[in-house]
């Protein structure tokens, strides 16, 4: 960056400069004072907002070499020179509403020091101890005590999954009443066992306190259900200022004078000077040090341009087929540092009558905006590019030396225009110089707000007229000297420095951007040395010169008669002009020579201030109310200086032009005199069209203003300038912003530049780079939301950055009365640049929306700025009776939503079934157990199973000293031993309890769960294998649980051959058969009691539905410990007699194709699996279907060295040696789960394995719950599983509206299978307990002989049990007893009068907000779609905040990119504001054995600070 770096120099500079308080660009005085005032209303405070938690590795630092201050269009000055004496006081703004908006200091302080233990893992700097910790904790305790999370229910545990599977390990729970090394005294009674000193909960509390502040528009209370529109429409504020003036009259510029010697065309002027003034200097170029490099005379310029014109027309191609014809478009690709080459090329093209299209030099294939330049070249039909030899050498090349094909560009032919390659024209050749006409002379590029680059065509007559108008307005004289610091390819740099200067034989000294960076005083020195009369600069150049002027004692600027400030229309140019004058007035600079101007690519120069007479009063300035500006009206601000904007005029409009102000949106209606509008111009000196884009041209170049009645005011077309402004006294033009910088938020206009000025007035020196800030808006949830992105200095600390961000929030809120949606800081030098070093706003916005910005700090404020959320839903009355039938929105006459399966026959005891099979068909094989190699390691015939069960019974009776009805825990790996032990218990009259064994590599996490089930079930004995018995008694186990208090442990590996004296037969079928313990997704351990009657009716139900009989084979790849998985693994085969091929899901870890190759090898028709198995196959084998399909032999594979197949895959699959996998035999593949069918997973599984012959109709799902293990199961003869699309808006209101596929806000739901025989289902309103009509969402209640008898719990909460298992409807059919599943769903009747249950979510996991119902799985689906790096997500709520946890599969650098994307997608698709976004490593979200997410468990781990997150963002 420019400026000396020695501290002594900067000290001297600070002492010397009187205008120190007004030195920085972007900063109008009003902003500085306003920000100081806004921030000074409070006494100094540290951070008011909860700071995000960041893991140390997630601190993104750019490498040191890239941390040099970046090239900017607006100076990244050295530190010393910018540290202002009057630094803004670092204090927080008080908001307009409530003084307790920013949080009580005591609560805040605890967030930094309360959790010292976890400080290291999160990389938060440890602050000094804070004495106010006590009140914070007590306050928090108070809050937490009132935030009880649900009733106290059975204890909370999670079963484990082995660690190898991807480190998804279920965490041990925080269970109240269980001593796990934590004394009760150290925990507050918060109903969820989270220690109150936990940092996370403190921060969330801080966030809640912050959010107490009311949002600006208050929400109305209720809204009508059938309203089509879902957003809150803000009511018009009666105090909104309205324009009161009369309609504006078009303003006329002075007439364009006729001077006798004006040339008929610009080329003619060049020809004249080339012939008559050949020695006169036209252009002086500077080298990198700021010294003159060469001077091009008018003679040289003429002769070289002539040569180029001749070469272009005659030497490219052949005489019969020239490459270029007059009127063709040619790209000019020259660097700014070589203006001479550009001038020759430009005038050469004019003389050859081809159309030059100057563009920037592309630096790389992925250059920011190169694709848009490609669009420009394509729309202009450019296929030839002129460039210099040096530039051509610098362009990126392919390995064989050709210039690469730039992204989005048409194919280009490159022509070098250095003099040595040009041909001297023959004697008889003369260029054709016609009088200026309406043909296009050149095309100037312009980038729109969306980033599209279009070409503005300027005709020959426009070009000439514009030069004449500028000559008249600026009073140019022949032979003057002009210093040009601007880009000579476009805009003012081209119009003044290349075109008008040649017309008037002016000597132009060009100071390129690279020279300015190296020597910021160079333009001032050139003015001094050459006694230049005119200088052409931007505010940036004034600022840079002012920063570096201390070395120049003898600089004299008295020769300047006109200092043209090209961006003087910007509101923040005032302070730059003032500060520059302040410093250089003593060097001869006259105040009246500063001439701001307003320009636009379409209308060229709009207005310019003429230089004033010596001593004449300077023009007045407008001090406007920001509030008025945001409503588009002009109000002079007298009361509140802090929300005012000072603007300077840009002089009068150009000679020969006519100007109006029209409304910026809608029809071009004339504004009133006190209204801000878009400036439109009618002039011969403007652009004529967007080249090649006739549609867009009409809306911009052919606008006819209309009056208030809508009638056109005339027939002459005006051109839109894209400038917003008004006409002040004396017809002076004032510009307050640009359309492209306009941010329309909730109907109010804000200017991006004003927001930049405010943000940078918050003493940014320590935190961000001054010129490296981007402001744009993104559309989220029906409104524009403001985003600010800035580059953070490498030495800024986390705390500094966060403090700066929170201050910017308050300053903008206070001054502009608008909330920021997102504030992001990125590492230095990472924002995409425009060719001249500014920030490429469109590319930055695109990166933000695509998640490619990689911020190092981010603050989202959706709570503050999203004020149009859906209105709360009106609760319906709940006092319903049989007569009224008013339930939800149900009116009498609707059909009750209920469904019944077919009739069921008689039952028998399962133990008797095994004995009968052992006698009648002893050698029939019931079970085959496979290992990872696909080999049968164990089989069991009916007789073998019966004998093994008898041996276990004898051992139990002998060694267990058990009474009938005692509980016995079965601790076995998945296999036949487990089945034998189960029947052994039935034979002995004891109650089996199957428990998943602990994982040997992860005892600390998995053994406490085993211990808890043993304790809760009061087991009298444990049956297990020898290896597991050793584990239970090992030293490692002793570290997690008390191993001395295990009940009797019996290993069943080597049992003596004994038969029991008798086999127990239960006196009634209602006696208990077994206990089924499972962990729900809410992390709750529930054991249910299954009677003998329920077991046998369930087995009969499944037999009828799936047509199971002795000759059938089924394959089961499920965990055999609970629910339907246990029933299919252990019970079904014994009852129905079919053969079960058992595949332990664990074996798939080491051999992925095991399950599919088994189906193929055994030609299985029916198979049962879990979602986790299906996911493993989809992710692991999805890319290998071809290899699975082909005939494979081991030798072929080794020969081809196909490394992509796992080694295991090679060695383990004997079955693949002879034939490939063929799944055409599979008739039904049923996924066993207790959740909404995962449509995306089942569909991708079907699609991926379609190539292996899998029928698309084969995959279906089952549905069961804790109260009834199997409610639905897709039968073999039933119709195909169907999918329906429901409207999400209706679903939130508990209504089901079916819509077409692809409808907006539609949600696909797959049916949960056909209702099992003997089952009755009804849909009930969970609040009124009355039946609901068809197509209403309600709780699924079930009546069935195989429902569980009740919960088995040591707490004996009978009320809970009765409520769930024996409930009656409030009306309709009050005598039937129903069991409540806790799941929400609806029934859809098909044409065959068949009823399908479609499940939407678990009732207890539903999130209620404003009376609307939200389903976690839907929010998670949206989140997972938000970014490619989100592997998995889970949501839960805490204290009414929605917390989203996302697993990051990419690099940690992407963690912060996810925060805005997650917030956006949930707001956009579900109309909910995310309170906290937690980014974690893959595998952190706990899942149970069925592959279901354990959201409540995740919540507890988060609140106990056990997740080790990569990043936690607290949305404001």
């Amino acid at each position: 960056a420019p400026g000396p770096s020695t501290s002594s120099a900067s000290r001297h500079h600070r002492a010397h400069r009187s205008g120190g308080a007004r030195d920085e660009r972007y900063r109008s005085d009003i902003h500085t004072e306003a920000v100081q005032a806004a921030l000074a209303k409070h006494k100094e405070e540290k951070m008011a907002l909860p700071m995000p938690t960041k893991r140390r590795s997630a601190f993104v630092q750019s490498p040191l070499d890239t941390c040099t201050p970046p090239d900017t269009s607006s100076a990244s000055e050295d530190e010393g020179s910018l540290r202002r004496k009057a630094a803004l006081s670092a204090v927080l703004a008080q908001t307009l509403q409530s003084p307790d908006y920013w949080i009580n200091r005591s609560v805040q302080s605890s967030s930094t020091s309360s959790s010292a233990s976890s400080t290291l893992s999160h990389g938060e700097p440890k602050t000094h101890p804070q004495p106010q910790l006590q009140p914070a904790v007590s306050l928090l305790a108070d809050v937490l005590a009132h935030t009880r999370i649900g009733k106290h229910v059975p204890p909370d545990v999670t079963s484990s999954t082995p660690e190898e599977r991807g480190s998804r390990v279920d965490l041990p729970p925080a269970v109240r009443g269980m001593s796990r090394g934590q004394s009760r005294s150290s925990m507050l009674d918060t109903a969820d066992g989270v220690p109150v000193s936990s940092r996370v909960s403190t921060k969330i509390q801080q966030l809640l306190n912050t959010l107490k502040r009311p949002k600006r528009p208050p929400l109305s209370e209720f809204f009508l259900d059938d309203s089509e529109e879902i957003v809150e429409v803000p009511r018009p504020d009666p105090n909104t200022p309205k324009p009161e003036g009369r309609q504006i009259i078009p303003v006329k510029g002075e007439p364009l004078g006729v001077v006798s010697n004006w040339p008929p065309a610009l080329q003619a002027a060049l020809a004249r000077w080339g012939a008559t003034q050949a020695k006169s200097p036209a252009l002086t170029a500077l080298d990198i040090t700021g010294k003159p490099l060469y001077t091009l005379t008018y003679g040289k310029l003429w002769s070289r341009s002539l040569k180029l014109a001749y070469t272009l027309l005659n030497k490219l191609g052949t005489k019969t087929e020239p490459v270029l014809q007059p009127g063709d478009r040619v790209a000019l690709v020259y660097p700014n540092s070589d203006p001479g080459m550009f001038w020759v090329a430009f005038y050469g093209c004019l003389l050859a009558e081809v159309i030059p299209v100057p563009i920037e030099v592309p630096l790389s294939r992925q250059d920011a905006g190169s694709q848009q330049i490609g669009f420009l070249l394509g729309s202009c039909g450019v296929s030839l590019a002129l460039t210099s030899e040096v530039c051509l050498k610098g362009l990126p090349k392919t390995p064989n030396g050709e210039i690469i094909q730039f992204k989005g560009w048409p194919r280009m032919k490159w022509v070098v225009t250095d003099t040595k390659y040009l041909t001297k024209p023959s004697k008889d050749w003369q260029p054709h110089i016609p009088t200026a006409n309406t043909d296009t002379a050149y095309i100037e590029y312009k980038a729109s707000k969306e980033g599209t680059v279009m070409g503005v065509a300027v005709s020959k007559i426009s070009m000439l007229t514009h030069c004449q108008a500028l000559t008249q307005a600026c009073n140019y004289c022949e032979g003057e000297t002009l210093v040009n610091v601007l880009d000579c390819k476009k805009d003012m740099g081209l119009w003044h420095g290349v075109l008008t200067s040649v017309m008037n034989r002016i000597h132009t000294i060009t100071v390129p951007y690279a020279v300015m960076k190296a020597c910021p005083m160079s333009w001032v020195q050139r003015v001094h040395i050459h006694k230049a009369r005119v200088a052409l600069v931007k505010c940036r150049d004034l600022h840079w010169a002012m920063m570096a002027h201390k070395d120049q004692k003898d600089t004299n600027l008295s020769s300047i008669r006109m200092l043209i400030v090209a961006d003087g229309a910007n509101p923040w140019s005032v302070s730059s002009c003032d500060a520059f004058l302040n410093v250089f007035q003593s060097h001869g600079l006259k105040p009246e020579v500063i001439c701001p101007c307003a320009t636009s690519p379409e209308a060229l120069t709009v207005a310019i201030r003429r230089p004033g007479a010596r001593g004449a009063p300077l023009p007045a300035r407008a001090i406007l109310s920001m509030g008025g500006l945001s409503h588009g009206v002009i109000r002079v601000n007298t009361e509140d200086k802090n929300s005012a904007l000072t603007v300077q005029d840009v002089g009068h409009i150009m000679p020969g032009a006519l100007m109006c102000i029209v409304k910026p949106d809608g029809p071009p209606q004339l504004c009133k005199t006190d209204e801000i509008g878009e400036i439109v111009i009618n002039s011969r000196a403007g652009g004529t069209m967007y080249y090649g884009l006739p549609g867009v041209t009409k809306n911009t170049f052919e606008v006819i203003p209309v009056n208030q009645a809508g009638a056109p005011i005339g027939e002459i077309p005006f051109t839109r300038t894209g400038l917003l402004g008004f006409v002040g006294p004396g017809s002076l033009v004032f510009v307050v912003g640009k359309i492209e910088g306009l941010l329309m938020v909730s109907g109010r206009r804000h200017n991006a530049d004003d927001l930049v000025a405010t943000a940078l007035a918050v003493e940014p020196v320590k935190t961000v780079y001054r010129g490296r800030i981007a402001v744009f808006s993104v559309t989220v949830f029906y409104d524009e939301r403001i985003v600010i992105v800035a580059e953070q200095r490498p030495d800024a600390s986390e705390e500094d950055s966060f403090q700066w961000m929170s201050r910017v929030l308050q300053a903008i809120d206070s001054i502009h009365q608008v909330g920021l949606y997102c504030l992001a800081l990125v590492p230095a030098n990472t924002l995409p640049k425009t060719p001249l070093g500014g920030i490429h706003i469109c590319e930055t916005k695109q990166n933000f929306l695509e998640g490619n910005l990689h911020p190092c700090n981010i603050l989202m404020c959706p709570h503050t700025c999203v004020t149009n959320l859906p209105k709360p839903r009106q609760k319906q009355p709940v006092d319903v009776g049989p007569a009224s039938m008013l339930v939800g929105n149900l009116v009498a006459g609707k059909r009750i939503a209920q469904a019944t399966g077919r009739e069921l026959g008689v039952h028998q005891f399962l133990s008797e079934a095994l004995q009968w099979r052992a006698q009648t068909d002893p050698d029939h094989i019931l079970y085959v157990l496979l290992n990872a190699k696909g080999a049968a390691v164990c089989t069991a015939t009916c007789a073998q199973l019966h004998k093994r069960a008898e041996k276990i019974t004898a051992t139990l009776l002998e060694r267990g000293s058990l009474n009938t009805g005692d509980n016995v825990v079965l601790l076995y790996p998945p296999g036949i031993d487990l089945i034998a032990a189960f029947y052994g218990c039935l034979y002995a009259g004891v109650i089996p309890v199957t428990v998943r064994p602990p994982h040997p590599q992860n005892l600390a996490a998995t053994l406490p769960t085993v211990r808890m089930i043993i304790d809760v079930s009061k087991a009298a004995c444990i049956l297990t294998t020898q290896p597991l018995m050793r584990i239970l008694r090992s030293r490692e186990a002793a570290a997690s649980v008390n191993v001395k208090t295990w009940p009797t442990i019996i290993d069943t590996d080597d049992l003596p051959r004994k038969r029991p004296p008798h086999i127990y037969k239960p006196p009634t079928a209602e006696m208990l058969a077994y206990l089924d313990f499972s962990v729900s997704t809410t992390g709750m351990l529930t054991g249910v009691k299954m009677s003998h009657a329920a077991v046998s009716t369930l087995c009969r139900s499944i037999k009828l539905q799936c047509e199971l009989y002795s000759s059938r084979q089924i394959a089961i790849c499920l965990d055999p410990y609970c629910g339907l998985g246990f029933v299919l693994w252990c019970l079904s085969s014994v009852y129905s007699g079919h053969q079960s091929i058992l595949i332990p899901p664990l074996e798939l870890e080491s051999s992925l194709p095991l399950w599919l190759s088994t189906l193929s090898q055994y030609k299985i028709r029916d198979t049962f699996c879990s979602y986790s198995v299906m996911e493993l196959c989809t992710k692991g084998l999805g890319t290998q279907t071809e290899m699975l399909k082909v005939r494979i032999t081991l030798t072929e594979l080794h020969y081809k060295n196909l490394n992509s197949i796992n080694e295991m895959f090679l060695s383990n699959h004997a079955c693949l040696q002879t034939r490939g996998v063929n799944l055409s035999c599979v008739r039904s593949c049923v996924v066993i789960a207790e959740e909404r069918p995962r449509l995306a997973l089942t569909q991708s599984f079907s699609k991926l394995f379609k190539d292996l012959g899998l029928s698309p109709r084969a995959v279906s799902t089952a549905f069961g719950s804790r109260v009834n293990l199997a409610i639905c199961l897709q039968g073999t003869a039933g119709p195909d599983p169907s999918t329906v699309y429901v409207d999400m808006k209706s679903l939130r209101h508990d209504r089901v509206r079916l819509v077409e596929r692809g409808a907006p806000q539609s949600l696909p739901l797959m049916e949960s299978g056909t209702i099992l025989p003997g089952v009755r289902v009804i849909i009930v309103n969970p609040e009124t307990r009355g039946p609901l009509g068809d197509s209403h969402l309600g709780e699924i209640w079930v009546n069935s002989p195989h429902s569980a008898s009740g919960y088995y719990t040591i707490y004996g909460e009978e009320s809970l049990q009765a409520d769930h298992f024996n409930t009656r409807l409030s009306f309709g059919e009050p005598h039937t007893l129903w069991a409540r599943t806790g799941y929400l769903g609806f029934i859809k009747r098909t044409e065959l009068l068949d009823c399908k249950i479609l499940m939407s979510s678990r009732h207890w996991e539903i999130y209620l907000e404003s009376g609307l119902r939200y389903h976690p799985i839907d929010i998670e689906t949206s989140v997972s779609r938000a970014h490619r790096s989100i592997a998995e997500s889970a949501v839960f709520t805490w204290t009414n905040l929605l917390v989203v946890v996302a697993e990051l599969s990419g690099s940690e650098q992407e963690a912060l990119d996810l925060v805005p994307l997650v917030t956006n997608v949930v707001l956009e698709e579900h109309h909910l504001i995310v309170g906290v976004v937690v980014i974690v490593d893959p595998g952190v979200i706990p899942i149970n054995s069925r592959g279901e997410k354990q959201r409540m468990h995740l919540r507890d781990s988060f609140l106990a600070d056990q997740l080790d997150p990569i990043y936690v963002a607290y949305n404001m």
Side-chain angles (χ1 to χ4, degrees), residues 70 450 836 1413 1516:
E450 291 73 41
L836 288 183
R1413 213 183 282 280
M1516 299 307 305

Side-chain angles (χ1 to χ4, degrees), residues 911 914-916 918-919 941-959 977 979-989 1023 1052 1055-1064:
S911 51
L914 179 58
Q915 293 167 57
W916 175 77
Q919 282 163 6
T941 61
C942 300
Q944 284 168 341
L945 188 62
H946 169 66
K947 284 174 184 166
R948 181 136 178 82
E950 282 188 326
K951 281 200 246 175
I952 291 172
T953 306
T955 307
L956 270 174
L957 296 175
E958 190 180 301
R959 292 171 51 195
D977 284 351
I979 303 169
F982 177 82
Y983 288 100
C985 290
L986 293 192
Y987 285 1
L1023 290 181
T1052 57
L1055 294 179
R1057 289 190 173 183
K1058 281 190 182 172
R1059 291 185 64 178
H1062 67 278
I1063 289 177
Y1064 174 80

Side-chain angles (χ1 to χ4, degrees), residues 1454-1513:
E1454 293 179 308
L1456 280 76
D1457 282 314
L1458 306 186
V1459 177
L1461 297 184
V1462 166
T1463 309
N1464 290 359
V1465 76
V1466 175
L1467 187 54
E1468 197 72 75
E1469 296 184 9
H1470 303 277
H1471 317 151
L1472 283 173
I1473 291 180
V1474 177
V1476 185
V1477 181
V1478 188
I1479 310 296
V1480 294
D1481 295 311
V1484 166
I1485 296 171
I1487 55 171
N1488 63 15
S1489 57
R1490 295 184 297 276
E1492 298 163 339
K1493 293 171 196 165
Q1494 306 231 283
R1495 297 181 182 95
M1496 296 306 107
H1497 210 72
L1498 180 68
R1499 183 195 70 186
D1500 293 343
S1501 306
F1502 169 65
L1503 295 174
D1505 214 5
Q1506 293 166 350
L1507 292 183
D1508 184 26
I1510 298 169
Y1511 192 78
V1512 182

Side-chain angles (χ1 to χ4, degrees), residues 908-915 982-983 986-987 1092 1095-1096 1099 1130-1132 1134-1135:
Q908 60 178 146
F909 293 117
L910 206 57
S911 51
E912 290 177 346
L914 179 58
Q915 293 167 57
F982 177 82
Y983 288 100
L986 293 192
Y987 285 1
H1092 287 279
V1095 168
S1096 52
C1099 289
C1130 293
L1131 316 183
S1132 205
V1134 169
Y1135 185 93

Side-chain angles (χ1 to χ4, degrees), residues 759-819:
L760 286 180
V762 185
E763 203 205 2
V765 178
K766 296 193 196 103
T767 313
V768 298
Y769 287 108
R770 301 199 38 78
R772 312 289 301 152
I773 188 159
V775 175
F776 51 86
S777 65
V778 292
T779 305
V780 181
F781 194 56
Y782 306 100
D783 201 356
E784 287 192 37
R785 316 285 175 196
I786 298 175
V787 179
I788 295 186
V789 184
E791 283 191 358
Q792 178 178 308
R793 291 180 179 270
D795 51 350
S797 72
E798 287 289 292
E799 203 165 321
D800 285 346
S801 305
F802 194 74
Q803 218 168 320
W804 182 77
M805 292 199 290
S806 48
R807 287 191 196 149
V808 168
L809 275 185
Q810 298 153 45
I812 287 178
D813 186 89
S814 178
I815 293 169
H816 301 272
Q817 309 285 299
V818 68

